Amino acid sequence: MKLTKTAVLAAALALSCATITLHAAPANAITLMDFIRGGKKKEPKREALPGVETGLALPGAEVKQEPRPLPRVTGPRYYTYKADALKRVAVDKFADPVVTSSISTDVAPAGDAGIRAAFSTVNLRASADAAKAVETYYSDKKGFLWIQGTGITEKAKTAIAVLADAASVGLDPWDYAVKIPADSFDSANMNARYSELATFELALSAAVATYVQDAARGRIDPNRISGYHDFKRKDVNLVAALKNVGLSGNVKAYLESRSPMSDDFLALKAELAKLKAETQGDDRVVIAEGTLLKPGQSNPELANIVKGIVKHGSDALKTEHSVTIASYKDTPDYTPELVTLVEAFQKENGLKPDGVVGKASIRKMVGGDSVADKVAKLEVALEQARWLPVDLGARHVFINQPAFMVYYYEEGREKFSMRTVVGSKSNQTYFFEDRIQTVEVNPYWGVPQSIIINEMLPKLRNDPSYLDRMGYEVAVGGQAVASSSVNWNGSTSGISVRQPPSGDNALGELKILFPNSHAIYMHDTPSKSFFKKDMRALSHGCVRLAEPRKMAAAVLGVSEEDVGKEISAGRNKALTVKADIPIYIAYFTAWPNKDGAVEYFDDVYGRDDYMRKAFAATRAARKVES
């Protein structure tokens, strides 16, 4: 098939939108010669446009402007995570002023009054929100949550057990560790006992408040990870939580219910428990690093490859290819029968069924990540799942970038899924949530400034008519101009470029919009071959769909035929999505499939590493020296 020039250009630009921030210099409004002459000379009956060459050269003279150095546009960056420092609990806000003075005497107030008086001696630090909650709660309440008489209650022991088990839901038990008073004490020194109990009462309340907040919204502020993260953190009413603890007859159930209770979260939690109970056996399949096997070749690692298929392939696959498996004698020759076996395994695991055994296939044949790697991915996934709403919505769209897949849900169940192409490592797709609003058929492609500057500008400085030939529309200050008339040696500020609807348009037949500050959307693409690749982080940041008409029909609530008719009409048209459909542009290297089985994916952007650094920074900030 012969490609048009426009198609070649669209493919070269990777056919998507940018996810980057512009740092362009202001335009040169006037040249030195203009200044000497007293200003720019205007042509009669022609309005000058910023950035457009309109001056007339003197006969025989050559007018030249020194080109600026080519600018570059850079994307968001990753940060060194800064965890919040602990804050001292202001015990003076709730210590009883009448009895506090007596704590320093030899005669201690009796019972609860003695403990209340001992609050003034407590030196406790907690997160700012937990500290504020403790101050507010004990300013209003005269009783205790965790102590009775001269000892701790069963409710306290139950709460401590839940906090100690925090790792089961992906949290760090050390963040909630509290020193427990001994059962025995010196009855002749009640001041010391009251002080010990007062410290325990406040410390456990602060630990419970911290746990409730972490369980509900996560320990990590996603917006401190990178500029690619965009979430509004959940508000958690910790004073109400402490009151609920006091009223609850089942503190274990209450605290455990603070973590998400969705099927996805529970599947991640169950997988974590299963892995921690497992012991790594000696039967793990090992395939030599760097192995690459193509049909017709010979390789001694073929025996391990077949062993991996037998160990990790489905029963249905092994039954279908039982003759091939049974007759294989550990020989190195990659025969057509074995190629067919490998292709079936690849297809079963969502890989390109080409019979070529490379990195992606080997990862599946050896069982993927090690147990330790899987546990680490699950801990990150459990944390990030807390950033999402408690209820994703009965009808929603979920994009998982590391899986290179998008899933459409109705009535809380996955109705279909399809392959996607997401941003490359240098043009990453953001992690955020939004609402789908519009499907635009036969769309224009508004070329982002980043692509104009980084990819088009070098060509335009050598050939200003480049965009004219390629069929792109150029405007300066909103007024259409020829590409050849623009001064591409100046600033591109105020210059816009768009590609009209066509078969070669970078957005294909349609785009699906959920307006956001990152200019991210889903769209069609002429580059269909990218969907055959296993690693599909290849766009400028937007999400390309393998079956765009199917997704458009689903969100519009119409048939694919109806969508096709709108496209066939040939007009650029915006179709309003009437239903409230949330969309989650997510990033999970561990996530359950529709059957509840957790799948693992490569950390294509390296974001899990930044999460683990954030965990470490939080642990260090919360560490209380004894």
Side-chain angles (χ1 to χ4, degrees):
M1 182 179 70
K2 188 175 180 181
L3 295 176
T4 65
K5 291 181 179 179
T6 309
V8 174
L9 174 63
L13 291 178
L15 309 179
S16 191
C17 57
T19 61
I20 37 197
T21 305
L22 180 63
H23 300 287
N28 284 338
I30 190 169
T31 66
L32 177 60
M33 289 306 295
D34 290 329
F35 182 80
I36 294 171
R37 293 171 182 150
K40 279 188 178 290
K41 184 177 179 181
K42 294 183 179 180
E43 288 184 4
K45 299 181 182 179
R46 182 176 178 185
E47 183 180 356
L49 296 171
V52 181
E53 294 179 342
T54 58
L56 297 173
L58 294 172
E62 184 179 354
V63 178
K64 250 186 179 180
Q65 178 180 343
E66 280 297 316
R68 296 180 175 200
L70 281 168
R72 293 292 298 174
V73 176
T74 58
R77 63 184 182 88
Y78 286 85
Y79 312 131
T80 299
Y81 191 83
K82 302 295 184 184
D84 291 326
L86 298 183
K87 175 182 177 292
R88 185 180 180 278
V89 177
V91 295
D92 56 295
K93 291 185 177 180
F94 53 82
D96 193 327
V98 175
V99 296
T100 295
S101 59
S102 63
I103 197 67
S104 61
T105 68
D106 293 333
V107 181
D112 290 358
I115 298 170
R116 190 83 188 183
F119 279 167
S120 64
T121 68
V122 175
N123 182 16
L124 176 66
R125 290 189 300 154
S127 70
D129 291 338
K132 184 178 179 180
V134 168
E135 292 163 4
T136 302
Y137 179 82
Y138 285 96
S139 294
D140 296 337
K141 294 285 184 180
K142 296 301 181 184
F144 307 118
L145 284 174
W146 315 111
I147 55 180
Q148 187 173 18
T150 57
I152 68 174
T153 63
E154 287 302 314
K155 178 179 282 190
K157 294 175 183 177
T158 301
I160 289 168
V162 174
L163 302 189
D165 191 42
S168 69
V169 289
L171 299 176
D172 188 346
W174 288 104
D175 287 345
Y176 323 107
V178 174
K179 185 177 180 181
I180 304 172
D183 291 334
S184 60
F185 58 92
D186 183 2
S187 58
N189 187 3
M190 293 306 295
N191 276 356
R193 182 60 174 179
Y194 292 153
S195 180
E196 187 178 28
L197 291 173
T199 299
F200 173 77
E201 171 74 20
L202 299 184
L204 184 53
S205 291
V208 165
T210 303
Y211 177 90
V212 167
Q213 187 171 61
D214 290 352
R217 75 176 192 181
R219 292 169 283 168
I220 305 304
D221 182 344
N223 303 315
R224 298 183 192 179
I225 295 290
S226 81
Y228 293 107
H229 292 73
D230 184 6
F231 283 90
K232 182 184 183 301
R233 294 201 82 185
K234 298 174 184 175
D235 294 322
V236 184
N237 189 332
L238 299 184
V239 175
L242 292 177
K243 290 179 180 178
N244 288 336
V245 164
L247 295 171
S248 175
N250 188 343
V251 71
K252 180 178 187 292
Y254 175 76
L255 292 177
E256 289 179 345
S257 70
R258 299 307 90 192
S259 286
M261 301 302 289
S262 67
D263 290 343
D264 293 328
F265 189 91
L266 294 177
L268 293 170
K269 178 184 173 183
E271 175 82 351
L272 181 62
K274 184 189 79 172
L275 290 180
K276 287 187 174 181
E278 282 183 4
T279 55
Q280 191 78 28
D282 294 330
D283 61 342
R284 180 173 172 83
V285 176
V286 178
I287 299 174
E289 187 177 352
T291 295
L292 178 63
L293 178 61
K294 297 180 179 180
Q297 295 181 337
S298 293
N299 193 308
E301 290 299 319
L302 184 59
N304 291 326
I305 288 169
V306 174
K307 186 187 296 184
I309 293 174
V310 172
K311 182 173 177 61
H312 299 291
S314 68
D315 291 339
L317 180 145
K318 287 181 281 189
T319 299
E320 184 179 351
H321 298 274
S322 57
V323 174
T324 300
I325 293 170
S327 60
Y328 177 63
K329 304 301 182 185
D330 292 349
T331 55
D333 297 329
Y334 194 21
T335 63
E337 294 78 15
L338 292 172
V339 172
T340 301
L341 173 64
V342 168
E343 288 174 346
F345 180 82
Q346 289 172 325
K347 185 176 181 179
E348 182 174 83
N349 285 274
L351 303 175
K352 182 180 179 181
D354 57 5
V356 177
V357 180
K359 185 178 178 181
S361 296
I362 290 172
R363 188 168 180 271
K364 297 291 185 180
M365 291 169 180
V366 300
D369 301 289
S370 68
V371 170
D373 289 339
K374 289 180 179 178
V375 167
K377 288 185 175 185
L378 287 167
E379 289 172 344
V380 170
L382 286 164
E383 175 71 15
Q384 293 180 165
R386 294 180 162 98
W387 301 346
L388 301 176
V390 173
D391 181 4
L392 298 184
R395 187 179 180 188
H396 68 270
V397 175
F398 190 91
I399 297 167
N400 191 12
Q401 297 169 51
F404 310 118
M405 294 290 292
V406 59
Y407 311 87
Y408 176 75
Y409 286 77
E410 276 189 7
E411 299 179 349
R413 299 293 176 187
E414 181 186 316
K415 191 170 183 181
F416 64 80
S417 64
M418 68 181 70
R419 288 190 163 206
T420 66
V421 173
V422 300
S424 65
K425 193 163 186 178
S426 58
N427 295 290
Q428 298 179 18
T429 302
Y430 286 72
F431 190 172
F432 67 107
E433 60 182 274
D434 216 306
R435 289 286 192 281
I436 297 177
Q437 293 186 8
T438 310
V439 174
E440 185 178 335
V441 296
N442 302 310
Y444 284 88
W445 178 40
V447 183
Q449 279 285 317
S450 58
I451 295 179
I452 294 174
I453 291 172
N454 293 346
E455 302 180 34
M456 291 180 168
L457 192 56
K459 300 180 179 71
L460 289 163
R461 286 192 172 180
N462 291 323
D463 181 7
S465 62
Y466 170 68
L467 293 177
D468 295 334
R469 294 199 316 277
M470 294 299 172
Y472 281 71
E473 298 175 357
V474 179
V476 177
Q479 186 169 336
V481 297
S483 168
S484 56
S485 70
V486 176
N487 173 20
W488 296 107
N489 290 314
S491 168
T492 61
S493 177
I495 299 176
S496 62
V497 178
R498 70 174 185 172
Q499 184 185 25
S502 70
D504 299 326
N505 185 280
L507 306 185
E509 295 179 337
L510 62 85
K511 62 181 177 181
I512 301 174
L513 301 173
F514 33 98
N516 57 85
S517 60
H518 316 302
I520 301 293
Y521 46 87
M522 298 186 289
H523 65 87
D524 183 21
T525 174
S527 296
K528 305 297 186 184
S529 63
F530 284 1
F531 295 109
K532 297 178 182 178
K533 297 178 180 290
D534 294 328
M535 203 295 290
R536 299 190 292 280
L538 302 166
S539 80
H540 279 86
C542 281
V543 180
R544 306 180 201 173
L545 302 174
E547 302 172 83
R549 290 191 183 192
K550 187 173 187 176
M551 183 62 76
V555 299
L556 288 169
V558 301
S559 67
E560 289 187 54
E561 290 75 17
D562 291 334
V563 174
K565 289 176 184 177
E566 294 286 0
I567 293 168
S568 298
R571 297 186 304 274
N572 171 249
K573 185 177 180 181
L575 307 172
T576 300
V577 174
K578 296 177 181 178
D580 180 20
I581 305 178
I583 181 168
Y584 305 95
I585 301 86
Y587 191 95
F588 288 92
T589 56
W591 195 251
N593 61 24
K594 63 181 178 181
D595 300 318
V598 174
E599 298 178 336
Y600 298 89
F601 311 101
D602 289 335
D603 186 8
V604 63
Y605 297 151
R607 289 181 183 170
D608 281 11
D609 290 337
Y610 286 94
M611 285 293 293
R612 284 186 272 275
K613 290 175 183 176
F615 288 155
T618 301
R619 188 178 304 116
R622 291 181 174 184
K623 185 178 180 181
V624 179
E625 299 293 344
S626 58

